[in-house]
Every structure is written in structure tokens, then in C-alpha cells.
Amino acid sequence: MLTAIILITGFSVAASPASKPSCSLYRTSADTVCRDSTVCKKGDPFNLNLLCQPAGGIYYGSAAILGDQFNPVAANTGANMVYHGFTTGADTIKVCSFNIMVADTVSPAGSISGADAVCRGTAQQYSVAPVEHATAYFWSFSGSAMADSMTTAPVITLFFDPSFSSGALTVYGMNDICMYPGIPSAGFFIRVNQPSVATIRNEYDTLSITDDICKNSRVHYYVFEVLEKYRWVAMNGKIAGDSSLRQVTVDWGPRAGNGSLTVQVEDNQGCMGSAVRDVHVLDTPAPDPPGIWLFGHNLLVCSDSAVNSYQWYNDNVVIQGATKRYYPADTNNRNCYTVQTCLDACCNRSDPFCFHYPASAGELSARSLVIFPNPATDRIQLRTNSPMQLHGHLYIFNSFGALVKDMEITACDFQIDLTLFGSGLYNLVYSDGSGGCYAAKVIKL
């Protein structure tokens, strides 16, 4: 029986008594019967006999040792030296030592930050707060067939190409020593939206990709889809008016050749889209864009009489049967009127004429010009019975509806010389520059 204790290299083992000098005590060669190991803090105690042969003996040297069990949770992070003492034969004691490297377990991942609604075709960055003890981050997105991605920083950029659909993004941390992953984050749901679709149409057709247009043509275009934002760009043409509206008017100018009209759109999700319509400008000139004048209370008159045909539109819709130079309009219709005039095969369209402030018959009848004398032989004096803007315009039409005189008015009372006018009935229309129109009739003797 062993009865004495001998201290060797900082640890104690049992030794044979002096009556048995043949007892030997020695350390085994490295890793012949004891093996180093790496474990994570997270885990249940494991049997040290799996690291040492022969099994059994005494394990000591670390506070994490419980008999022949090693408890990673109670161990110090880093190298934990463990000693194993066991007997071979009747009086020989062997001792081996080995390291158990204990790594900090990766902490759970927190919440992911980033856009939860994206547009297909765009790139977005997502991040998570740094995960304690993590040296790498593994990301997974259920809305794509791509393999999981690894980053060394808690940030990833996703490009939402056509293979992506809506899904959940998750992440968890890992480190170089402890390959046991941390608890993943909660799924961050991302809704992937389609890009905006835009279709350019005009008053002549609905689906053409290329327009053959005469020189000097003025064409009205619009986006078929109702979206949030629009931005038009015309190449080799000029946009008349505001280029950020759903509808736009383009003057294609006096030069033949190729051009294009592009619109960029954005929907209420912030998704962008675009459309292009090509234009081939022919060498044949179109008539000048016609104008529309209000004659009386509701009669719209086209100013261009040197053309072959007329066609009236309301809100870009053909008015069946409205093919004369004049059209009796509905003043309560808030949609705008236009007229198309054609000379042979070349046509042009007017600017829209809109009754923005529909008025009752009584209000319209109150808008009149006071003319005296009437009938007149050489001069007439004009005055309105409503407040008049100082910068208005007066148009005079003969009994056939032809415009015979137009002039700018800068005074409240004004005279008109009729000496060069032929005898007959004339219609006068005054526009005060703020939407008000005043009409009257005068007879020239």
C-alpha cells in the first residue's frame, strides 16, 4: 500500500514507502496517452476518460474538474491545464498533462436594421449590433435561393435582382475557436416590390413603339398608369409646359430625323421605372398648331381655317361627329378640349382649352362687354361691367367665325377703329388673363 505523498513539479501524487525503493514515478511522453482538446463555454460536462488512456485515474489541476468530468461552463476562458495520475503495475505511478482550450460562447444576435420594403433591382444594406465573442457573421435570406453569406463585420449588402422575392433575413455569430454558432436573430421580414411599369400613349394610338410624325408636329403624350411621380425628357424635341406631369406636350420641331421621348416614373412605394417611345420625324411639314378661342358663352372656335379637316377631343377622347371648325362645348365639363387639324396626311393638335371654373348661365350672362355706339360707323368704345385686368386680349371674329383682329389691351376703357372693317355683324371676345372671358356683338354700318 502507498503511504507517503511526494511533491513533484507543483502537484502531488502518491509514492511507495521507503521499504520499496523499486517504485518509479515519471511523466509520460507528450500526447501519447493524453490529448489536448478545444471546447466551448456553452455545453454539458464531458468525460475526461475520452481524452486519456487508460481510462480512470485522478484528474486535477482545474477548478472545472468534477471527478472524471470537465465542466466548460465553470472553466476559465483560454488554456486550462489538466493533470492525469494513474498507476501501472504494483508500484509505478504515471502522470500526464494536457490542455483544454475553452472559448467564450458567441452571444445571441440582436435585431437587424434596414429597409423592410425594397424595390427589385436596387441594393440595400442591413446591419446588426456587434455580437459579443463573434468574429464572423452568417446571414440567410429565405426569399432567395442563394447560399448563406458570411461577413467579418456585422453588415451585409443585398442586391435584390429578379431572383429575389419577399422573405425573412436572419443572422448569427461564430468565432474562430468555438464553432458552435450563437443564437440567431429573429427573422427580419423584407417585402420585395416590383419596379414601376410605365406605358407611353398618345392621342393617335395606344401601343405604338415608334411614331412617324410630320415636321412641326405638336403631340400630346401621357402615361397610362397612374403613379406618384413623372419626369419627361425629349431628344430632338421640345417639351411644352411642365415636364413633371402625367401628360406632356412635345413640339418635334422643323427638322426631319430620329428622336425619342423618355419618361421616368416612381410609384407610392418609391420604386422607379421608365419607358421610351421612339419618334421618326418625316420631311413633310405639318400645319402650325391651331389655337382655340371661346366665342360667346360656350362655342369653341379653331383659329386655323387653312386646313383640310378638324377633329375635336375631350380629355384625349375623340368626340364623335365633332369635325367642324367650331364646337359647342359643355362649360361644366372639367376635362380639357383640344382640336386636331390636318393638312393632307400631316396633323397637329392645339393646346388644351379648359373650363376650370364652370359658371352658371347667370354668371356667364353677367360677363359682357359694354359697346357704344352700337351700331357704329368708324369707332367704338368698349368697357366691361366686371373688374378688368390691365393685361388682357381682345379677339374679333366676323360672322363666318374667322379671326379678323386680335390685340393686347392695357387699359380699362379702350377704343377700336372699325373704318377698315366691312359692313356686317362682328363678335368680340375679351380674355382678362385670369380665366374670365367676356363676349359681345357689334354691327358695323
Side-chain angles (χ1 to χ4, degrees), residues 196-261:
S196 296
V197 176
T199 306
I200 300 176
R201 297 188 179 181
N202 66 16
E203 67 268 27
Y204 300 114
D205 61 78
T206 58
L207 298 175
S208 292
I209 298 176
T210 301
D211 293 327
D212 291 324
I213 298 175
C214 300
K215 291 191 299 185
N216 296 321
S217 292
R218 167 170 285 194
V219 184
H220 301 285
Y221 298 90
Y222 65 99
V223 176
F224 178 75
E225 297 79 8
V226 179
L227 300 165
E228 291 293 309
K229 295 180 180 179
Y230 311 85
R231 176 60 61 185
W232 298 86
V233 177
M235 185 180 72
N236 295 334
K238 181 180 179 181
I239 294 177
D242 192 344
S243 63
S244 64
L245 301 178
R246 183 186 174 193
Q247 62 281 338
V248 70
T249 299
V250 180
D251 291 322
W252 287 110
R255 293 193 305 173
N258 296 322
S260 64
L261 179 63

Side-chain angles (χ1 to χ4, degrees), residues 28-29 31-37 46-60 65 67-68 70 81-86 94-100:
T28 60
S29 60
D31 292 335
T32 55
V33 294
C34 299
R35 296 185 299 278
D36 292 343
S37 181
F46 65 91
N47 194 335
L48 287 169
N49 292 329
L50 299 176
L51 302 179
C52 292
Q53 295 294 333
I58 300 173
Y59 296 95
Y60 56 97
I65 295 175
D68 62 354
F70 186 86
M81 182 65 71
V82 176
Y83 302 100
H84 183 210
F86 56 95
K94 288 188 176 182
V95 175
C96 70
S97 62
F98 55 97
N99 276 321
I100 297 180

